[in-house]
Amino acid sequence: MSSAGVLVAAHLSSLFPSSNASSVVLQSSRQNLQTVSQPDTDVYSEHAISSTIYHTPHTGSILLRVIHGGLIVELISLSTPVPPIRFVFPASVISTPAVCAWGEQELHLLAVTATGSLYRLVLPTTNPSRLWHDEAARNWCREYIIKNVSDLSGSIVHVQGPHSVAIGLGNGSLLRVEVERLGDTISDDLWTETVSQPKSLLGTFTSYIPGFHSSTNAAPELLCVAGLPEPTEFGYIWTLSRDRTLRLWSASRGCVASKPLSFHALSQANVASGNKPVLLNGDAGNLLRVYSLSPNGEKPFAVAFTPTPDEPHCGGYFQIVDWSSDQLHELRTIECSPASANCHLQDFFLDNGVLYTLWERHGTSMVLSIKFGAGSSMVVNDTTWEMSNYGEETDLTPAYLDEVLLAPGSLTEKFMEVILRPGIFSPLTIRTALEQYIDACLSLPGPPPPELTSSYASVAENIAAVVGCTVTLVQDPHTGATQYDRYWSALKRDWEGFIARCREVERSARWPLALNKGQHNDEVIVVERERVGVLAREDLPIAVHRHLSDSLPVESHFSALDIAWTLCCKIGTEVLRNLENSIVDVLHQEIAFSIVDIMIDQVRRSDFRETLDETTQNWVVAKLQEVEDLERSIKIILDLAAGFDLEIKREEDEVELLLPPAQSEWKAAIAAGYISTSLNARYDICLALTILLFFMADDLGEWDPCLLEEVFAVFRGLSMLRYVARQPTVDQSGSTQSASTDDVIARMGSMQVSGNQPNFAPTLSLVHRLISQSSEHIELPSSAHRFLDNTGLLQSTSPAHVTHFEASFCERLRDLGYYQVAREMLAWLPRTPGVTFVTARLFISLGRGDDAAYLMEKVAGSFGPDSGLSFEDAETLSAVLPGKALHQSGFTFYLEASSMFRENGLTQHEAGFLQLALSVAPPATNTPDLWYGLIRGYIDLGFWEEAYSAMIATPFDSVRRECISQLVYRMCEEDAVEGLISLNFSGFSSEVDDALAFKARNTDPRVRPFYSRILYTWYTRRGDHRSAARTMYMRARKLQEISVGPAEISSLMDDQAESYMLAINSLSLLEEKKAWFVVQTLTNNVHELESRKRRKLIQNLPLSGAGGGSEIIDLHALRFDYALLSAKKHLVHRDPMLLAAPEALLSPPLVIQRLGQANQFDFAMTTARALDLDMSELFVMLVVQCMRLSRNPDAIFQEDASDWLLTDNAASWPGSPADRGWRYLKIALERHDGPATDYRYSKATLEAILAHDKSFSPPPWLVHVLEDYHHEYLVRTSLKFDALENALEHTLSLIRQADSKLSRSPAKMPGQTWLPYTLIDQVLVASAAQDDLGARGKALRKELQMELSNRVKKMQKVSLFSR
């Protein structure tokens, strides 16, 4: 039987994943509607139960699928990249819905549900690039509830057009639903219903005529409903019932004609015996089609099919029935092909005089076609049926899997390769089988392996981890030996079980459903449950391969190929695969010997001849001797394997090049599938030819070596192309695209769209990716041949050479990101300079910089006048270079190589090639950029010494100064401060100073790297202590101005104190007169509450550009700041609540006051002395504490006295707490009071005592101190607080002390005899005026008057003697 072509199909889940489809949930106006589904247990939910294709010039090809048991209708655009859309109905849809174009603006989808609802969905098609994803109009979903029938389960629906729907009911009646008024955005459609019975007036009369009556009393159910599509003037409907009765229905008269089909092919025994005829199968719905001989619908005729399942010689027959004068006439019966025996017809159609039929044959599709006559379509010429099948497809049977395991590699790796090979299983099949496998494993007893419950990044990772996870390596219970053989056998069985699940699901996915005419002439589309394919013309390799595989005769000039094919069948699979692997190994090595010697060596190694029996060898030799010109036959076979039929482009193709249509992924997938089929055929042919040459190896010495080399070159090219065709890829572009906000709002507002998330990346073959980049749209097989020819892989004439096509193809794969595939391709090619360059670029892309640099250095020798490149190598190398031209010297190539390394982040090798470029740079070359790139590269790599050496070596000062800051900053960031300090930077240390100073001023001092500390170290190592002190001082000031939370204030103060201490240490290393530095300040600063006024430092400006005044900071200022900060730290540490009132810590007196209030007298006095502040208030507080202890000794336990009375020293003193307190006060006065302070703290102590309680006697030691140095003050203070007795007593003491001095040393100066007589008079007057003066007071007053009188007399005598 001749072949009409080859079937090529593409998986829908690979192109249009369900996760990328938008879903629209439809509502029903019926009350209390319960979802009624018609699940098919043999069909998976994502597999279609019915499907059809619709074409318009505006929208292209649209595929309609009914999935999920009829609950979901999916629309897929096969011509444009528009995402699919799914409509979820409230009840299952009956039969096949239909889509009808309404001009170029709308697309109407009509569907009838089992609950009796007729839906019309009005979808926008204004923009062909978006179609139904545009905003739909209001009232786009219209529902009409059929009134005559409430339950349509088991009915047949035929959508004749947008205005009419015919429904075949289960009782044999016909229900016509026609629209009277089409709805709009406001109103719904207005439908009318007409029910017609199978009995008509004509039928009533003819029932009495013998031969015209029906054999049954009740009208059987209708199986098929068909009619001419609108527009047509004849609204007739044709039906076929289960009893094989063909009826014609009119819209006005009902059933106007009926005719039982003849039993031509049925068993004559049944007819002769009068048995009841065999009824048609209840699920046969595509047995009737209606056509017309004229475009306006005149002269209609029907083509009905009658299956014969019990006949062994054919699957049935077609009957052509004409209608005229209300009579049906059977014109012709066409018996089907013998190939249809035991097959099931799925669909058929008639087009241009050719009847195309789609059959289900062992679960796969088969297309049979036959041509009608050119005159009347009712007459069949003496032509035969032509059969079309899929090309040779890989079936993963256990035998094939054993054959796969013969190749080197791990079991998992090899099985994963065949499972994921494009075209074997769809992503839906793999996902479904994986879910089934996981469910089966989870049902096993015991805890599940963790692999079953883990999540994975891809399906491939999931399969590799899950399959075989329940297989464990065990030990023999008797010997304890590890049972590896059982483990590998169990693992293999587990993989085979998973693959068997995939095969079962895939078998269901490939079940044929519909056969449709394509959009173009002579295009036939085959629709399966999960695939859509086309009937394409066979190219010569596919046709010859089919003849050889089916043991059909071939043409005489292919006789040598027939012998080679038979030879391959005789040697067995294992020997064939071993020879194939040996050929592959040879082509992966450098060709250093002649092809004949290599072949002879391989034959001897493999013992090829010994595997053949003598009879086979003699037969092959005899057959080869019958070939007239064997070398010519080899050339013909070689042309068959590597040749192409490139058709001349049509005018339509030229128009498409100027105005390219929308990219169709489905068409690209079909082309990729065809290419894969053609490559498999060509590879098998070339392999058979190579095996034949191996058989003739001993006789090839006299052959033309160029012919043998060309055979191996073609085999290499076909092997490379076949490997590419078997590689799956994942499209990431689609997954990254997202709809705009307007799109989402429009969809949700108009159509209630809920997009599925996340998007699924389609899985396609690598050939598909490469085809999609081309804008050519040429029919098969021309497009496939043009693609294969453009690759140039079959144009090589010797395996020892590389053409620029091969190198460019590898470079293209690398550029597209298919690194592993490019690496495998490069492994086939000799290491010419062009291949070496592409390999180096591949290593760069993979991040293997060392290997890439090694190869790049080798390629560098191929440039310049002394390169010695051959013409072929020069052409290949120039084709893969970025500039498409050879470099004139190695200098420019080094620059280009360095840029390649830089683009991929390989800085080390970028710097290496820049160094090479500088070493060979011509004298007149401008190289500052090269030096800059080299130094920058070393800096990025952390090669500090190399970067420093390069800066020293560069002759350009501008480059050196520009790179210094980069080196300094990078070393600081990488914590290489020791290395930075160790570098000399002779001649440009000021640049280092400026770089570090800039960072120290303008970065947060708390964030690493600590530039201020680094700069301090830098200055200290170089002996510049003044700059070091200034650096740490500025750091302390910056820390002071940072606002932080309470939790961080303690660490901030510690850092600030450390900075002050380091500044003090650095400045202390200088001479006292040089221990100062200058800082710049702002002049418009607010006044701060400190004894030494401050001005804010300038920030975020270089030091040289700062304006304003200056401030001299010396050691005293630093110690002042450090002491004040220490006091603040101490207070905050004791009472963190002070942070809530920061104004209490601004002024130094307030800080000292806070310390005194906290009884921190030691620390407060030390700090006040360091700050040069008055401590009078501190001593007043101390007096108060001492007097409290005197009255209440237990008060020491009620307050914190740890800083003054509970210290180790104070605790060792004898006496009561009050005694120790007064002693502490005495020691404090001795330490901090004296002539330098004019005893103002003692005075303050006395006044505090008297102010607190004037009846309290001051301590004698305090009185003695004041009597010795400020006796007059004692008298005045006593008068001030009305202590007259004390005043009298202190006055007496004053007079007596003066008399004592006068008696010891006579006065020689007038001032020695002076006494404050005015004050004494005030004491006397005050005491005289005091009425309640006590007896002691009166006695003291008299004594004072007496002492005063004696004093006067004595002074008179002294006065007389002095004269």
Side-chain angles (χ1 to χ4, degrees), residues 148-156 167-176 194-199 216-223 225 239-243 247 249 255:
N148 284 279
V149 184
S150 60
D151 186 7
L152 294 178
S153 300
S155 302
I156 302 298
I167 304 176
L169 304 179
N171 60 2
S173 303
L174 182 67
L175 173 62
R176 299 175 68 110
T194 304
V195 180
S196 301
Q197 301 298 329
K199 297 294 184 178
T216 58
N217 295 327
E221 62 177 321
L222 299 180
L223 293 183
V225 180
T239 64
L240 180 63
S241 58
R242 192 174 183 187
D243 62 351
R247 292 183 174 87
W249 306 74
C255 181

Side-chain angles (χ1 to χ4, degrees), residues 655-663 775 777:
V655 174
E656 289 182 354
L657 290 177
L658 297 176
L659 300 173
Q663 184 70 31
S775 60
H777 295 271

Side-chain angles (χ1 to χ4, degrees), residues 434-482:
L434 184 60
E435 292 173 356
Q436 294 178 354
Y437 180 88
I438 293 176
D439 293 340
C441 293
L442 291 175
S443 64
L444 297 176
E451 292 83 357
L452 297 177
T453 57
S454 302
S455 58
Y456 302 93
S458 64
V459 177
E461 293 182 10
N462 197 354
I463 295 173
V466 167
V467 178
C469 66
T470 58
V471 180
T472 57
L473 184 63
V474 297
Q475 294 179 342
D476 190 292
H478 302 290
T479 64
T482 306

